[in-house]
Amino acid sequence: MKNMKSLVFMNLRGCVMLSSLPERLHLISLKTLILSGCSRFKKFELNSENLEFLHLDGTAIKNLPKSIKNFQKLVLLNLKDCKMLESLPYCLAKLKALEELILSGCESLTRFPDIKENMKNLQILLLDRTSIKELPNMLLHCVKCKDQVVCRQPFRMNGVSLLRHLCLRGNKDICSLGSSISQLYHLKWIDLKYCDSLLSISTLPPNLQCLDAHGCISLKTVAVPLALLMPTTQQVPASFIFTNCGKLEQAAKNQIVCYAHSKSHLLSDALNRHNKGFAFETLVATCFPGSEVPAWFSHIASGAELYPELPGHWSENGSVGIALCAIVSFEHYKTRNNNLQLKCRCEFDDVETLSSNFNCHIGGLFETGDEERTIKSTHVFIGYTNWLDIEKCQEEDNKKKCVPTKASIKFEVTNGTNDVTNCEVLKCGFSLVYESGSWEASLGTECVTHCEGILSGFLRGIKWLFQ
């Protein structure tokens, strides 16, 4: 036992006859304990103040002991596929160093304890295939100062949860995310795939890079706005996926497009400040069920190609980017490993410079593993790319020519390597995007007014934020 006190790593993976650890086991130096796949393991008791990584996945435990609060250095707690796990202790909040909590497949877990403290160091929370009915309030508590909530100010983020990755995939009970989710300012990725009971999506936090709501068959509405808007220094593209959301109302689709448009303005502004306006990738992309190119697109064509003629001096008329749209028909197409991409190639005919030809992805599907995803019916894909500054390209090439007025645009669906033959581009659209203009024509006055008001307010805040 004296030798065991200096043990740093213990791997008991797959010991199917193990039901518990020896009593009074005191491992002072232990940092990693792996009990993965010990299917008869029911009782967990351990004294180890330096434990950092604890893997109990695939065990038969029903609950965690209160003594777990002593693991003040614990960074990872893995309880994946603990199908007998019924509850978590209130003292979970005492794990101040915890960064990753994995509860995937804990199908007997229906709720979190009412934890009053914010687990502000938690960065990854995986709740897929659990039975919880609402988000744990440990994520949503605001910091209080003299009994006043201070995290309502979007620029004051001291004490706000550091959560970056939230997975609720396959949850059958959650109907809504709750309004407080907008306070998770560090959240980058939300996986809502196959949340069958989800009816609405509340206003989301401002720094999301991916929202994947594929297969939310009951989803009807989204909040106005879909997510908060904030001035940003980030130049990371964002994607909002609503494939197979067959009940999504038209007003919700309008709001998704409205938010994507406004988000692209902010990202474009960040690019202009830091990269002089050059970007040959999509800033914001979204997709949802539908069969028509929105009416505000100035150029619409049948099939996968279109040849718009642009107005003279279009680069000097306040345009801030380009919007691209494609209507894609799927015949129960199955994809895995994030290999479906909708690509666009754009060529400006009367400019002889390589910078005037560019490819961009205007849609794609995101998978974290090899799970197969089936796409049904016809979907609308819309992407926004940054302003392609032809004049700057020409200046770099020491050439001074007229701004191009003709373009050739071609869309294609690929699996990352080859064209996908059983997915057809039925229609496509192209439009210049202006700081203000007719892009909103089909969205409705209420949505447009709200969208423009929020955007202009936050754009005014950019100068203040970065002084």
Side-chain angles (χ1 to χ4, degrees), residues 170-171 191-199 201 212-220 241-248:
N171 184 288
D191 187 346
L192 299 174
K193 291 194 297 289
Y194 309 112
C195 289
D196 291 350
S197 298
L198 187 67
L199 298 173
I201 291 180
D212 195 342
H214 171 79
C216 291
I217 56 177
S218 301
L219 183 64
K220 293 183 178 181
I241 301 169
F242 294 90
T243 44
N244 288 5
C245 295
K247 293 187 178 180
L248 200 62

mmCIF file of all heavy atoms in Angstrom, residues 170-171 191-199 201 212-220 241-248:
data_model
loop_
_atom_site.group_PDB
_atom_site.id
_atom_site.type_symbol
_atom_site.label_atom_id
_atom_site.label_comp_id
_atom_site.label_asym_id
_atom_site.label_seq_id
_atom_site.Cartn_x
_atom_site.Cartn_y
_atom_site.Cartn_z
ATOM 1 N N GLY A 170 -30.169 14.199 -29.491
ATOM 2 C CA GLY A 170 -30.940 13.009 -29.178
ATOM 3 C C GLY A 170 -31.794 13.108 -27.935
ATOM 4 O O GLY A 170 -32.398 12.124 -27.517
ATOM 5 N N ASN A 171 -31.878 14.312 -27.332
ATOM 6 C CA ASN A 171 -32.744 14.475 -26.163
ATOM 7 C C ASN A 171 -34.204 14.507 -26.619
ATOM 8 O O ASN A 171 -34.561 15.242 -27.539
ATOM 9 C CB ASN A 171 -32.382 15.769 -25.426
ATOM 10 C CG ASN A 171 -33.177 15.960 -24.155
ATOM 11 O OD1 ASN A 171 -34.361 16.250 -24.197
ATOM 12 N ND2 ASN A 171 -32.518 15.788 -23.031
ATOM 13 N N ASP A 191 -25.039 21.587 -30.253
ATOM 14 C CA ASP A 191 -25.544 20.456 -31.013
ATOM 15 C C ASP A 191 -26.942 20.107 -30.502
ATOM 16 O O ASP A 191 -27.101 19.651 -29.371
ATOM 17 C CB ASP A 191 -24.607 19.257 -30.843
ATOM 18 C CG ASP A 191 -24.988 18.089 -31.749
ATOM 19 O OD1 ASP A 191 -26.114 18.096 -32.302
ATOM 20 O OD2 ASP A 191 -24.169 17.170 -31.906
ATOM 21 N N LEU A 192 -27.950 20.342 -31.349
ATOM 22 C CA LEU A 192 -29.342 20.054 -30.996
ATOM 23 C C LEU A 192 -29.937 18.968 -31.895
ATOM 24 O O LEU A 192 -31.153 18.791 -31.910
ATOM 25 C CB LEU A 192 -30.190 21.328 -31.131
ATOM 26 C CG LEU A 192 -29.809 22.515 -30.251
ATOM 27 C CD1 LEU A 192 -30.655 23.733 -30.609
ATOM 28 C CD2 LEU A 192 -29.973 22.174 -28.778
ATOM 29 N N LYS A 193 -29.113 18.252 -32.608
ATOM 30 C CA LYS A 193 -29.633 17.277 -33.563
ATOM 31 C C LYS A 193 -30.576 16.282 -32.891
ATOM 32 O O LYS A 193 -30.304 15.784 -31.794
ATOM 33 C CB LYS A 193 -28.486 16.514 -34.228
ATOM 34 C CG LYS A 193 -27.640 17.361 -35.158
ATOM 35 C CD LYS A 193 -26.738 16.532 -36.062
ATOM 36 C CE LYS A 193 -25.724 15.727 -35.309
ATOM 37 N NZ LYS A 193 -24.680 16.578 -34.711
ATOM 38 N N TYR A 194 -31.693 16.019 -33.565
ATOM 39 C CA TYR A 194 -32.670 15.004 -33.149
ATOM 40 C C TYR A 194 -33.279 15.275 -31.768
ATOM 41 O O TYR A 194 -33.644 14.345 -31.058
ATOM 42 C CB TYR A 194 -32.031 13.602 -33.171
ATOM 43 C CG TYR A 194 -31.341 13.282 -34.469
ATOM 44 C CD1 TYR A 194 -29.947 13.161 -34.523
ATOM 45 C CD2 TYR A 194 -32.067 13.130 -35.649
ATOM 46 C CE1 TYR A 194 -29.301 12.892 -35.727
ATOM 47 C CE2 TYR A 194 -31.430 12.855 -36.851
ATOM 48 C CZ TYR A 194 -30.047 12.739 -36.883
ATOM 49 O OH TYR A 194 -29.416 12.467 -38.073
ATOM 50 N N CYS A 195 -33.394 16.550 -31.404
ATOM 51 C CA CYS A 195 -34.161 16.913 -30.199
ATOM 52 C C CYS A 195 -35.633 16.954 -30.615
ATOM 53 O O CYS A 195 -36.149 18.010 -31.020
ATOM 54 C CB CYS A 195 -33.684 18.251 -29.633
ATOM 55 S SG CYS A 195 -32.054 18.192 -28.872
ATOM 56 N N ASP A 196 -36.299 15.834 -30.531
ATOM 57 C CA ASP A 196 -37.608 15.650 -31.153
ATOM 58 C C ASP A 196 -38.699 16.538 -30.576
ATOM 59 O O ASP A 196 -39.680 16.844 -31.266
ATOM 60 C CB ASP A 196 -38.052 14.183 -31.027
ATOM 61 C CG ASP A 196 -37.213 13.254 -31.891
ATOM 62 O OD1 ASP A 196 -36.434 13.771 -32.711
ATOM 63 O OD2 ASP A 196 -37.316 12.023 -31.737
ATOM 64 N N SER A 197 -38.579 16.944 -29.304
ATOM 65 C CA SER A 197 -39.634 17.732 -28.662
ATOM 66 C C SER A 197 -39.357 19.227 -28.681
ATOM 67 O O SER A 197 -40.193 20.010 -28.209
ATOM 68 C CB SER A 197 -39.811 17.270 -27.208
ATOM 69 O OG SER A 197 -40.213 15.918 -27.152
ATOM 70 N N LEU A 198 -38.231 19.633 -29.201
ATOM 71 C CA LEU A 198 -37.865 21.053 -29.209
ATOM 72 C C LEU A 198 -38.827 21.837 -30.105
ATOM 73 O O LEU A 198 -38.922 21.577 -31.299
ATOM 74 C CB LEU A 198 -36.426 21.225 -29.700
ATOM 75 C CG LEU A 198 -35.845 22.634 -29.606
ATOM 76 C CD1 LEU A 198 -35.671 23.045 -28.141
ATOM 77 C CD2 LEU A 198 -34.497 22.707 -30.332
ATOM 78 N N LEU A 199 -39.532 22.793 -29.507
ATOM 79 C CA LEU A 199 -40.533 23.578 -30.230
ATOM 80 C C LEU A 199 -40.005 24.935 -30.662
ATOM 81 O O LEU A 199 -40.426 25.483 -31.683
ATOM 82 C CB LEU A 199 -41.772 23.769 -29.352
ATOM 83 C CG LEU A 199 -42.529 22.512 -28.935
ATOM 84 C CD1 LEU A 199 -43.628 22.866 -27.935
ATOM 85 C CD2 LEU A 199 -43.111 21.815 -30.153
ATOM 86 N N ILE A 201 -36.487 27.957 -30.302
ATOM 87 C CA ILE A 201 -35.116 28.263 -29.912
ATOM 88 C C ILE A 201 -35.091 29.685 -29.388
ATOM 89 O O ILE A 201 -35.505 30.619 -30.075
ATOM 90 C CB ILE A 201 -34.151 28.097 -31.099
ATOM 91 C CG1 ILE A 201 -34.038 26.618 -31.470
ATOM 92 C CG2 ILE A 201 -32.779 28.667 -30.771
ATOM 93 C CD1 ILE A 201 -33.117 26.338 -32.633
ATOM 94 N N ASP A 212 -26.327 23.460 -34.765
ATOM 95 C CA ASP A 212 -26.785 22.339 -35.594
ATOM 96 C C ASP A 212 -28.076 21.795 -35.017
ATOM 97 O O ASP A 212 -28.086 21.143 -33.980
ATOM 98 C CB ASP A 212 -25.718 21.247 -35.639
ATOM 99 C CG ASP A 212 -25.978 20.238 -36.752
ATOM 100 O OD1 ASP A 212 -27.119 20.177 -37.250
ATOM 101 O OD2 ASP A 212 -25.039 19.521 -37.138
ATOM 102 N N ALA A 213 -29.180 22.101 -35.706
ATOM 103 C CA ALA A 213 -30.507 21.665 -35.263
ATOM 104 C C ALA A 213 -31.097 20.643 -36.239
ATOM 105 O O ALA A 213 -32.311 20.542 -36.384
ATOM 106 C CB ALA A 213 -31.439 22.864 -35.122
ATOM 107 N N HIS A 214 -30.243 19.888 -36.904
ATOM 108 C CA HIS A 214 -30.704 18.896 -37.876
ATOM 109 C C HIS A 214 -31.685 17.913 -37.231
ATOM 110 O O HIS A 214 -31.465 17.411 -36.132
ATOM 111 C CB HIS A 214 -29.511 18.114 -38.429
ATOM 112 C CG HIS A 214 -29.897 16.942 -39.275
ATOM 113 N ND1 HIS A 214 -30.301 17.071 -40.574
ATOM 114 C CD2 HIS A 214 -29.952 15.613 -38.984
ATOM 115 C CE1 HIS A 214 -30.580 15.870 -41.067
ATOM 116 N NE2 HIS A 214 -30.375 14.975 -40.122
ATOM 117 N N GLY A 215 -32.799 17.672 -37.918
ATOM 118 C CA GLY A 215 -33.738 16.651 -37.475
ATOM 119 C C GLY A 215 -34.581 17.025 -36.269
ATOM 120 O O GLY A 215 -35.156 16.144 -35.630
ATOM 121 N N CYS A 216 -34.678 18.327 -35.950
ATOM 122 C CA CYS A 216 -35.589 18.767 -34.874
ATOM 123 C C CYS A 216 -36.996 18.834 -35.475
ATOM 124 O O CYS A 216 -37.434 19.895 -35.949
ATOM 125 C CB CYS A 216 -35.143 20.111 -34.308
ATOM 126 S SG CYS A 216 -33.594 20.032 -33.383
ATOM 127 N N ILE A 217 -37.689 17.716 -35.460
ATOM 128 C CA ILE A 217 -38.909 17.549 -36.253
ATOM 129 C C ILE A 217 -40.083 18.359 -35.725
ATOM 130 O O ILE A 217 -41.068 18.553 -36.450
ATOM 131 C CB ILE A 217 -39.302 16.062 -36.334
ATOM 132 C CG1 ILE A 217 -39.460 15.470 -34.919
ATOM 133 C CG2 ILE A 217 -38.249 15.285 -37.127
ATOM 134 C CD1 ILE A 217 -39.927 14.026 -34.911
ATOM 135 N N SER A 218 -40.019 18.854 -34.480
ATOM 136 C CA SER A 218 -41.112 19.647 -33.914
ATOM 137 C C SER A 218 -40.825 21.137 -33.911
ATOM 138 O O SER A 218 -41.706 21.933 -33.556
ATOM 139 C CB SER A 218 -41.404 19.191 -32.475
ATOM 140 O OG SER A 218 -41.759 17.819 -32.428
ATOM 141 N N LEU A 219 -39.624 21.534 -34.293
ATOM 142 C CA LEU A 219 -39.215 22.938 -34.206
ATOM 143 C C LEU A 219 -40.060 23.815 -35.124
ATOM 144 O O LEU A 219 -40.156 23.566 -36.321
ATOM 145 C CB LEU A 219 -37.739 23.072 -34.562
ATOM 146 C CG LEU A 219 -37.134 24.469 -34.440
ATOM 147 C CD1 LEU A 219 -37.158 24.951 -32.996
ATOM 148 C CD2 LEU A 219 -35.702 24.486 -34.984
ATOM 149 N N LYS A 220 -40.660 24.866 -34.540
ATOM 150 C CA LYS A 220 -41.514 25.772 -35.303
ATOM 151 C C LYS A 220 -40.992 27.198 -35.335
ATOM 152 O O LYS A 220 -41.070 27.864 -36.367
ATOM 153 C CB LYS A 220 -42.930 25.770 -34.718
ATOM 154 C CG LYS A 220 -43.681 24.459 -34.864
ATOM 155 C CD LYS A 220 -45.094 24.587 -34.314
ATOM 156 C CE LYS A 220 -45.882 23.300 -34.498
ATOM 157 N NZ LYS A 220 -47.273 23.429 -33.993
ATOM 158 N N ILE A 241 -27.562 25.450 -38.985
ATOM 159 C CA ILE A 241 -28.081 24.328 -39.762
ATOM 160 C C ILE A 241 -29.455 23.920 -39.236
ATOM 161 O O ILE A 241 -29.608 23.609 -38.051
ATOM 162 C CB ILE A 241 -27.112 23.137 -39.691
ATOM 163 C CG1 ILE A 241 -25.744 23.542 -40.242
ATOM 164 C CG2 ILE A 241 -27.657 21.928 -40.445
ATOM 165 C CD1 ILE A 241 -24.647 22.527 -39.972
ATOM 166 N N PHE A 242 -30.448 23.905 -40.145
ATOM 167 C CA PHE A 242 -31.808 23.524 -39.785
ATOM 168 C C PHE A 242 -32.344 22.481 -40.773
ATOM 169 O O PHE A 242 -33.528 22.483 -41.104
ATOM 170 C CB PHE A 242 -32.721 24.754 -39.784
ATOM 171 C CG PHE A 242 -32.385 25.761 -38.716
ATOM 172 C CD1 PHE A 242 -31.490 26.785 -38.963
ATOM 173 C CD2 PHE A 242 -32.951 25.671 -37.454
ATOM 174 C CE1 PHE A 242 -31.169 27.718 -37.984
ATOM 175 C CE2 PHE A 242 -32.644 26.599 -36.463
ATOM 176 C CZ PHE A 242 -31.750 27.620 -36.728
ATOM 177 N N THR A 243 -31.491 21.588 -41.241
ATOM 178 C CA THR A 243 -31.935 20.556 -42.175
ATOM 179 C C THR A 243 -32.939 19.619 -41.510
ATOM 180 O O THR A 243 -32.840 19.302 -40.326
ATOM 181 C CB THR A 243 -30.728 19.742 -42.689
ATOM 182 O OG1 THR A 243 -29.873 19.435 -41.584
ATOM 183 C CG2 THR A 243 -29.946 20.528 -43.719
ATOM 184 N N ASN A 244 -33.927 19.187 -42.302
ATOM 185 C CA ASN A 244 -34.990 18.271 -41.850
ATOM 186 C C ASN A 244 -35.843 18.846 -40.722
ATOM 187 O O ASN A 244 -36.474 18.090 -39.984
ATOM 188 C CB ASN A 244 -34.408 16.923 -41.413
ATOM 189 C CG ASN A 244 -33.922 16.088 -42.581
ATOM 190 O OD1 ASN A 244 -33.925 16.544 -43.726
ATOM 191 N ND2 ASN A 244 -33.494 14.870 -42.309
ATOM 192 N N CYS A 245 -35.869 20.168 -40.583
ATOM 193 C CA CYS A 245 -36.785 20.818 -39.627
ATOM 194 C C CYS A 245 -38.058 21.153 -40.400
ATOM 195 O O CYS A 245 -38.296 22.320 -40.765
ATOM 196 C CB CYS A 245 -36.154 22.063 -39.015
ATOM 197 S SG CYS A 245 -34.701 21.718 -37.990
ATOM 198 N N GLY A 246 -38.861 20.146 -40.657
ATOM 199 C CA GLY A 246 -39.991 20.274 -41.571
ATOM 200 C C GLY A 246 -41.104 21.184 -41.108
ATOM 201 O O GLY A 246 -41.895 21.653 -41.929
ATOM 202 N N LYS A 247 -41.210 21.449 -39.807
ATOM 203 C CA LYS A 247 -42.293 22.286 -39.286
ATOM 204 C C LYS A 247 -41.876 23.738 -39.079
ATOM 205 O O LYS A 247 -42.666 24.539 -38.557
ATOM 206 C CB LYS A 247 -42.819 21.706 -37.976
ATOM 207 C CG LYS A 247 -43.530 20.370 -38.136
ATOM 208 C CD LYS A 247 -44.168 19.926 -36.836
ATOM 209 C CE LYS A 247 -44.932 18.606 -37.008
ATOM 210 N NZ LYS A 247 -45.557 18.159 -35.739
ATOM 211 N N LEU A 248 -40.673 24.079 -39.472
ATOM 212 C CA LEU A 248 -40.181 25.441 -39.258
ATOM 213 C C LEU A 248 -41.052 26.440 -40.015
ATOM 214 O O LEU A 248 -41.251 26.331 -41.226
ATOM 215 C CB LEU A 248 -38.740 25.539 -39.742
ATOM 216 C CG LEU A 248 -37.870 26.683 -39.215
ATOM 217 C CD1 LEU A 248 -37.701 26.589 -37.701
ATOM 218 C CD2 LEU A 248 -36.506 26.663 -39.899
#
